[in-house]
Amino acid sequence: MPVGPPIDDPRRVEVRAWLDAHPSPTPRQLAEAGYVAPHWPEPWGLGADPELQLIIDDELARAGVERPDNAIGIGWAGPTILAGGTPEQHQRWLPGILDGSDEWCQLFSEPEAGSDLASLRTRAERDGDEYVVNGQKIWSTWANRSRWGILLARTDRTAPKHRGISYFVLDMATPGIEVREIIEMTGGNHFNETFLTDVRIPVDCRIGAENDGWRLAKVTLGNERVSLSEGGVLWGMGPTSAACLAELRRLGAGSDPRHRQRYARLHIESTIIDLLGDKITDALLRGDDPGPVASIRKALADVHGQRLMGMVKDLQGAGGMLGEQSEHAEETDPWNWGFLFSRALTIGGGTNEVQRNIIGERVLGLPREP
Ligand SMILES: Cc1cc2nc3c(=O)[nH]c(=O)nc-3n(C[C@H](O)[C@H](O)[C@H](O)COP(=O)(O)OP(=O)(O)OC[C@H]3O[C@@H](n4cnc5c(N)ncnc54)[C@H](O)[C@@H]3O)c2cc1C
């Protein structure tokens, strides 16, 4: 059964006709057709409403066509450049984002600025037509392989902390950038430390006005929260929720009353998380902002992912202690990889406590935190 509008909906027929004409589309063809980010305005997307997005997602999936894999570029950097960039900046960066030819990273977090991101200390000082940047970033996913980065830096040290920040696009090949890989307990490497020493960024790589970076950072973070809340049990990586439940069945979770109780609880959680996902889709279809529902779903789904992976590990018994830790473990030992990676879920994209603060304030009407 198709998701959303019926099988003979004219918009569906149009997408299918395009797929018939392009049975194995290249990333560039997909980008030029507007099918990579259909909700973006033309010419980058199709200005699609959520219903048309559902149709396109569904038809691409049925045809076995995958979009370019460029999560940070398409998910977070692109929408912010669209919101705050000039037409020249759109032209310069959006094509390489959409067709996946340029990988992007996000240089926001610092050793002393994570949840309280606005206290970041990396400085950008104006020097003619350039800014000179000095500071340190951390947890920069894929910085070691990215062509471009989105960077927050302080341009006014005297202003209140949210008002002295600017938003830049950084060419990762610029002299003065040192990226040091961090090996995670999975044995793999997503993260890096990024050191910036007298890095020169041209003024035309600033997005939006000087000191207006916090407004644009909120655009990036809002997109990050919704996409991480929708991604599945491990943010769309590793085994899916359904695969986990199937693995639990295979390991005999139904045969012992204690396991059965635990499994039933996980199944109920999984169903509730799916229903919250439907609620988000429904809000989008009506043209509403899903608001704090994305935080509720993320808060539940991240802990659920940890519980699921924990139960698989427990049922594996002593053999589960021999799990592989290597840079390939995500493919070769997804259960051990998922168990170890799941610890990151409640930290990245806004910690579980921060999501609870949002729910407390925006859903329960509790007083704002000081
Ligand atoms: C998988 C993953 C990928 C990431 N990728 C990137 C990336 O690409 N680029 C990037 O810039 N960063 C990235 N990060 C970093 C991430 O944004 C930060 O880890 C996150 O914002 C938390 O910051 P912190 O680690 O400094 O913890 P802190 O903010 O220091 O928090 C420490 C503890 O205090 C709690 N806490 C903090 N403030 C409050 C509060 N107000 N109320 C209640 N409790 C609070 C937290 O919940 C946490 O338990 C990534 C992180 C992960 C896990």
Side-chain angles (χ1 to χ4, degrees), residues 284-317:
L284 292 170
L285 280 173
R286 281 185 280 105
D288 292 343
D289 174 4
V293 180
S295 290
I296 296 175
R297 188 171 194 273
K298 185 174 187 309
L300 288 175
D302 291 346
V303 177
H304 172 71
Q306 292 173 349
R307 287 200 188 113
L308 260 182
M309 291 295 157
M311 187 167 179
V312 172
K313 181 60 86 184
D314 287 349
L315 286 177
Q316 285 175 337

mmCIF file of all heavy atoms in Angstrom, residues 284-317:
data_model
loop_
_atom_site.group_PDB
_atom_site.id
_atom_site.type_symbol
_atom_site.label_atom_id
_atom_site.label_comp_id
_atom_site.label_asym_id
_atom_site.label_seq_id
_atom_site.Cartn_x
_atom_site.Cartn_y
_atom_site.Cartn_z
ATOM 1 N N LEU A 284 2.775 17.988 10.193
ATOM 2 C CA LEU A 284 3.412 18.554 8.997
ATOM 3 C C LEU A 284 2.428 18.573 7.824
ATOM 4 O O LEU A 284 2.369 19.532 7.061
ATOM 5 C CB LEU A 284 4.665 17.751 8.635
ATOM 6 C CG LEU A 284 5.837 17.872 9.623
ATOM 7 C CD1 LEU A 284 6.917 16.854 9.301
ATOM 8 C CD2 LEU A 284 6.430 19.273 9.606
ATOM 9 N N LEU A 285 1.617 17.502 7.713
ATOM 10 C CA LEU A 285 0.646 17.448 6.604
ATOM 11 C C LEU A 285 -0.399 18.564 6.718
ATOM 12 O O LEU A 285 -0.887 19.067 5.722
ATOM 13 C CB LEU A 285 -0.073 16.085 6.595
ATOM 14 C CG LEU A 285 0.692 14.934 5.964
ATOM 15 C CD1 LEU A 285 -0.038 13.622 6.176
ATOM 16 C CD2 LEU A 285 0.884 15.173 4.472
ATOM 17 N N ARG A 286 -0.711 18.939 7.974
ATOM 18 C CA ARG A 286 -1.681 20.030 8.159
ATOM 19 C C ARG A 286 -1.000 21.395 8.076
ATOM 20 O O ARG A 286 -1.633 22.424 8.258
ATOM 21 C CB ARG A 286 -2.377 19.882 9.520
ATOM 22 C CG ARG A 286 -3.479 18.820 9.490
ATOM 23 C CD ARG A 286 -4.269 18.742 10.774
ATOM 24 N NE ARG A 286 -3.557 17.987 11.803
ATOM 25 C CZ ARG A 286 -2.950 18.523 12.860
ATOM 26 N NH1 ARG A 286 -2.959 19.809 13.061
ATOM 27 N NH2 ARG A 286 -2.318 17.739 13.729
ATOM 28 N N GLY A 287 0.307 21.379 7.851
ATOM 29 C CA GLY A 287 1.031 22.648 7.755
ATOM 30 C C GLY A 287 1.392 23.225 9.110
ATOM 31 O O GLY A 287 1.757 24.395 9.222
ATOM 32 N N ASP A 288 1.283 22.427 10.187
ATOM 33 C CA ASP A 288 1.621 22.910 11.534
ATOM 34 C C ASP A 288 3.059 22.561 11.885
ATOM 35 O O ASP A 288 3.640 21.635 11.313
ATOM 36 C CB ASP A 288 0.713 22.253 12.590
ATOM 37 C CG ASP A 288 -0.722 22.728 12.467
ATOM 38 O OD1 ASP A 288 -0.936 23.757 11.808
ATOM 39 O OD2 ASP A 288 -1.610 22.046 13.021
ATOM 40 N N ASP A 289 3.594 23.278 12.877
ATOM 41 C CA ASP A 289 4.917 22.980 13.413
ATOM 42 C C ASP A 289 4.752 21.856 14.446
ATOM 43 O O ASP A 289 3.937 21.997 15.355
ATOM 44 C CB ASP A 289 5.444 24.268 14.077
ATOM 45 C CG ASP A 289 6.746 24.053 14.808
ATOM 46 O OD1 ASP A 289 7.282 22.937 14.748
ATOM 47 O OD2 ASP A 289 7.216 25.017 15.445
ATOM 48 N N PRO A 290 5.484 20.719 14.313
ATOM 49 C CA PRO A 290 5.309 19.654 15.315
ATOM 50 C C PRO A 290 5.718 20.075 16.720
ATOM 51 O O PRO A 290 5.331 19.448 17.703
ATOM 52 C CB PRO A 290 6.202 18.521 14.806
ATOM 53 C CG PRO A 290 7.073 19.082 13.756
ATOM 54 C CD PRO A 290 6.470 20.366 13.268
ATOM 55 N N GLY A 291 6.475 21.162 16.824
ATOM 56 C CA GLY A 291 6.826 21.739 18.129
ATOM 57 C C GLY A 291 7.486 20.734 19.044
ATOM 58 O O GLY A 291 8.317 19.926 18.604
ATOM 59 N N PRO A 292 7.098 20.747 20.343
ATOM 60 C CA PRO A 292 7.818 19.900 21.305
ATOM 61 C C PRO A 292 7.582 18.411 21.119
ATOM 62 O O PRO A 292 8.226 17.616 21.792
ATOM 63 C CB PRO A 292 7.288 20.379 22.662
ATOM 64 C CG PRO A 292 6.033 21.106 22.381
ATOM 65 C CD PRO A 292 6.091 21.609 20.975
ATOM 66 N N VAL A 293 6.685 17.991 20.202
ATOM 67 C CA VAL A 293 6.493 16.547 19.975
ATOM 68 C C VAL A 293 7.809 15.932 19.504
ATOM 69 O O VAL A 293 8.129 14.789 19.835
ATOM 70 C CB VAL A 293 5.364 16.271 18.944
ATOM 71 C CG1 VAL A 293 5.193 14.774 18.733
ATOM 72 C CG2 VAL A 293 4.061 16.869 19.428
ATOM 73 N N ALA A 294 8.604 16.701 18.736
ATOM 74 C CA ALA A 294 9.904 16.173 18.293
ATOM 75 C C ALA A 294 10.798 15.910 19.507
ATOM 76 O O ALA A 294 11.534 14.917 19.543
ATOM 77 C CB ALA A 294 10.572 17.155 17.325
ATOM 78 N N SER A 295 10.729 16.782 20.519
ATOM 79 C CA SER A 295 11.525 16.563 21.738
ATOM 80 C C SER A 295 11.004 15.356 22.510
ATOM 81 O O SER A 295 11.784 14.573 23.062
ATOM 82 C CB SER A 295 11.476 17.802 22.644
ATOM 83 O OG SER A 295 12.201 18.841 22.062
ATOM 84 N N ILE A 296 9.665 15.203 22.564
ATOM 85 C CA ILE A 296 9.094 14.058 23.301
ATOM 86 C C ILE A 296 9.554 12.770 22.625
ATOM 87 O O ILE A 296 10.018 11.832 23.275
ATOM 88 C CB ILE A 296 7.543 14.127 23.303
ATOM 89 C CG1 ILE A 296 7.070 15.375 24.063
ATOM 90 C CG2 ILE A 296 6.944 12.855 23.909
ATOM 91 C CD1 ILE A 296 5.563 15.597 24.013
ATOM 92 N N ARG A 297 9.467 12.747 21.290
ATOM 93 C CA ARG A 297 9.836 11.531 20.567
ATOM 94 C C ARG A 297 11.332 11.246 20.741
ATOM 95 O O ARG A 297 11.738 10.109 20.978
ATOM 96 C CB ARG A 297 9.481 11.657 19.089
ATOM 97 C CG ARG A 297 9.663 10.352 18.353
ATOM 98 C CD ARG A 297 9.098 10.433 16.948
ATOM 99 N NE ARG A 297 8.970 9.107 16.370
ATOM 100 C CZ ARG A 297 9.927 8.476 15.711
ATOM 101 N NH1 ARG A 297 11.103 9.051 15.550
ATOM 102 N NH2 ARG A 297 9.752 7.286 15.233
ATOM 103 N N LYS A 298 12.153 12.305 20.662
ATOM 104 C CA LYS A 298 13.593 12.081 20.793
ATOM 105 C C LYS A 298 13.923 11.578 22.207
ATOM 106 O O LYS A 298 14.705 10.633 22.374
ATOM 107 C CB LYS A 298 14.376 13.362 20.471
ATOM 108 C CG LYS A 298 15.883 13.129 20.471
ATOM 109 C CD LYS A 298 16.673 14.331 20.008
ATOM 110 C CE LYS A 298 18.163 13.998 19.863
ATOM 111 N NZ LYS A 298 18.811 13.354 20.984
ATOM 112 N N ALA A 299 13.296 12.197 23.227
ATOM 113 C CA ALA A 299 13.580 11.788 24.613
ATOM 114 C C ALA A 299 13.223 10.316 24.822
ATOM 115 O O ALA A 299 13.950 9.572 25.498
ATOM 116 C CB ALA A 299 12.817 12.680 25.596
ATOM 117 N N LEU A 300 12.082 9.871 24.250
ATOM 118 C CA LEU A 300 11.683 8.466 24.416
ATOM 119 C C LEU A 300 12.536 7.533 23.553
ATOM 120 O O LEU A 300 12.996 6.486 24.005
ATOM 121 C CB LEU A 300 10.211 8.286 24.014
ATOM 122 C CG LEU A 300 9.164 8.849 24.959
ATOM 123 C CD1 LEU A 300 7.774 8.683 24.348
ATOM 124 C CD2 LEU A 300 9.212 8.130 26.303
ATOM 125 N N ALA A 301 12.745 7.929 22.281
ATOM 126 C CA ALA A 301 13.392 7.021 21.325
ATOM 127 C C ALA A 301 14.850 6.767 21.699
ATOM 128 O O ALA A 301 15.356 5.648 21.520
ATOM 129 C CB ALA A 301 13.299 7.592 19.913
ATOM 130 N N ASP A 302 15.544 7.769 22.232
ATOM 131 C CA ASP A 302 16.962 7.581 22.543
ATOM 132 C C ASP A 302 17.152 6.582 23.691
ATOM 133 O O ASP A 302 18.022 5.713 23.645
ATOM 134 C CB ASP A 302 17.610 8.929 22.883
ATOM 135 C CG ASP A 302 17.704 9.835 21.644
ATOM 136 O OD1 ASP A 302 17.519 9.325 20.524
ATOM 137 O OD2 ASP A 302 17.952 11.036 21.806
ATOM 138 N N VAL A 303 16.293 6.703 24.728
ATOM 139 C CA VAL A 303 16.393 5.768 25.851
ATOM 140 C C VAL A 303 15.937 4.377 25.397
ATOM 141 O O VAL A 303 16.517 3.353 25.764
ATOM 142 C CB VAL A 303 15.537 6.269 27.037
ATOM 143 C CG1 VAL A 303 15.564 5.272 28.173
ATOM 144 C CG2 VAL A 303 16.053 7.622 27.513
ATOM 145 N N HIS A 304 14.907 4.363 24.546
ATOM 146 C CA HIS A 304 14.401 3.091 24.003
ATOM 147 C C HIS A 304 15.511 2.371 23.224
ATOM 148 O O HIS A 304 15.697 1.147 23.374
ATOM 149 C CB HIS A 304 13.212 3.399 23.089
ATOM 150 C CG HIS A 304 12.708 2.228 22.312
ATOM 151 N ND1 HIS A 304 12.038 1.173 22.898
ATOM 152 C CD2 HIS A 304 12.774 1.934 20.982
ATOM 153 C CE1 HIS A 304 11.716 0.295 21.966
ATOM 154 N NE2 HIS A 304 12.151 0.723 20.802
ATOM 155 N N GLY A 305 16.269 3.117 22.417
ATOM 156 C CA GLY A 305 17.370 2.527 21.650
ATOM 157 C C GLY A 305 18.378 1.877 22.578
ATOM 158 O O GLY A 305 18.855 0.759 22.326
ATOM 159 N N GLN A 306 18.679 2.553 23.683
ATOM 160 C CA GLN A 306 19.634 1.988 24.652
ATOM 161 C C GLN A 306 19.072 0.717 25.283
ATOM 162 O O GLN A 306 19.777 -0.281 25.466
ATOM 163 C CB GLN A 306 19.962 3.020 25.726
ATOM 164 C CG GLN A 306 20.767 4.191 25.176
ATOM 165 C CD GLN A 306 20.955 5.320 26.175
ATOM 166 O OE1 GLN A 306 20.332 5.349 27.237
ATOM 167 N NE2 GLN A 306 21.814 6.279 25.826
ATOM 168 N N ARG A 307 17.763 0.756 25.617
ATOM 169 C CA ARG A 307 17.159 -0.432 26.267
ATOM 170 C C ARG A 307 17.136 -1.620 25.308
ATOM 171 O O ARG A 307 17.421 -2.754 25.703
ATOM 172 C CB ARG A 307 15.730 -0.116 26.697
ATOM 173 C CG ARG A 307 15.647 0.795 27.890
ATOM 174 C CD ARG A 307 14.270 0.655 28.534
ATOM 175 N NE ARG A 307 14.113 1.666 29.569
ATOM 176 C CZ ARG A 307 13.258 2.670 29.491
ATOM 177 N NH1 ARG A 307 12.475 2.808 28.454
ATOM 178 N NH2 ARG A 307 13.175 3.548 30.467
ATOM 179 N N LEU A 308 16.758 -1.352 24.032
ATOM 180 C CA LEU A 308 16.704 -2.437 23.052
ATOM 181 C C LEU A 308 18.078 -3.092 22.888
ATOM 182 O O LEU A 308 18.223 -4.310 22.953
ATOM 183 C CB LEU A 308 16.293 -1.878 21.694
ATOM 184 C CG LEU A 308 14.856 -2.016 21.239
ATOM 185 C CD1 LEU A 308 14.714 -1.430 19.843
ATOM 186 C CD2 LEU A 308 14.419 -3.463 21.219
ATOM 187 N N MET A 309 19.092 -2.235 22.689
ATOM 188 C CA MET A 309 20.436 -2.759 22.476
ATOM 189 C C MET A 309 20.918 -3.495 23.727
ATOM 190 O O MET A 309 21.612 -4.512 23.636
ATOM 191 C CB MET A 309 21.404 -1.611 22.138
ATOM 192 C CG MET A 309 21.152 -0.999 20.795
ATOM 193 S SD MET A 309 21.470 -2.207 19.500
ATOM 194 C CE MET A 309 20.491 -1.554 18.188
ATOM 195 N N GLY A 310 20.530 -2.974 24.894
ATOM 196 C CA GLY A 310 20.921 -3.606 26.163
ATOM 197 C C GLY A 310 20.303 -4.989 26.291
ATOM 198 O O GLY A 310 20.950 -5.938 26.753
ATOM 199 N N MET A 311 19.046 -5.132 25.859
ATOM 200 C CA MET A 311 18.404 -6.446 25.992
ATOM 201 C C MET A 311 19.013 -7.449 25.017
ATOM 202 O O MET A 311 19.221 -8.611 25.377
ATOM 203 C CB MET A 311 16.896 -6.326 25.777
ATOM 204 C CG MET A 311 16.228 -7.651 26.076
ATOM 205 S SD MET A 311 14.453 -7.603 26.217
ATOM 206 C CE MET A 311 14.127 -9.356 26.531
ATOM 207 N N VAL A 312 19.310 -6.994 23.779
ATOM 208 C CA VAL A 312 19.980 -7.903 22.836
ATOM 209 C C VAL A 312 21.283 -8.389 23.460
ATOM 210 O O VAL A 312 21.599 -9.581 23.473
ATOM 211 C CB VAL A 312 20.250 -7.211 21.475
ATOM 212 C CG1 VAL A 312 21.113 -8.103 20.585
ATOM 213 C CG2 VAL A 312 18.946 -6.866 20.755
ATOM 214 N N LYS A 313 22.044 -7.450 24.022
ATOM 215 C CA LYS A 313 23.348 -7.800 24.626
ATOM 216 C C LYS A 313 23.159 -8.805 25.762
ATOM 217 O O LYS A 313 23.864 -9.806 25.852
ATOM 218 C CB LYS A 313 24.011 -6.501 25.110
ATOM 219 C CG LYS A 313 25.360 -6.620 25.728
ATOM 220 C CD LYS A 313 26.395 -7.197 24.808
ATOM 221 C CE LYS A 313 27.085 -6.221 23.926
ATOM 222 N NZ LYS A 313 28.014 -6.883 22.981
ATOM 223 N N ASP A 314 22.158 -8.553 26.638
ATOM 224 C CA ASP A 314 21.938 -9.467 27.765
ATOM 225 C C ASP A 314 21.612 -10.874 27.279
ATOM 226 O O ASP A 314 22.116 -11.868 27.809
ATOM 227 C CB ASP A 314 20.782 -8.961 28.639
ATOM 228 C CG ASP A 314 21.189 -7.747 29.450
ATOM 229 O OD1 ASP A 314 22.404 -7.444 29.492
ATOM 230 O OD2 ASP A 314 20.303 -7.082 30.013
ATOM 231 N N LEU A 315 20.738 -10.957 26.244
ATOM 232 C CA LEU A 315 20.324 -12.281 25.770
ATOM 233 C C LEU A 315 21.442 -13.017 25.040
ATOM 234 O O LEU A 315 21.404 -14.237 24.907
ATOM 235 C CB LEU A 315 19.090 -12.158 24.866
ATOM 236 C CG LEU A 315 17.781 -11.865 25.603
ATOM 237 C CD1 LEU A 315 16.645 -11.695 24.615
ATOM 238 C CD2 LEU A 315 17.435 -12.985 26.575
ATOM 239 N N GLN A 316 22.419 -12.268 24.556
ATOM 240 C CA GLN A 316 23.555 -12.936 23.884
ATOM 241 C C GLN A 316 24.411 -13.698 24.897
ATOM 242 O O GLN A 316 25.239 -14.533 24.515
ATOM 243 C CB GLN A 316 24.436 -11.918 23.149
ATOM 244 C CG GLN A 316 23.808 -11.417 21.850
ATOM 245 C CD GLN A 316 24.648 -10.321 21.208
ATOM 246 O OE1 GLN A 316 25.420 -9.645 21.886
ATOM 247 N NE2 GLN A 316 24.490 -10.144 19.917
ATOM 248 N N GLY A 317 24.229 -13.381 26.187
ATOM 249 C CA GLY A 317 24.982 -14.087 27.220
ATOM 250 C C GLY A 317 26.478 -13.819 27.131
ATOM 251 O O GLY A 317 26.904 -12.782 26.615
#
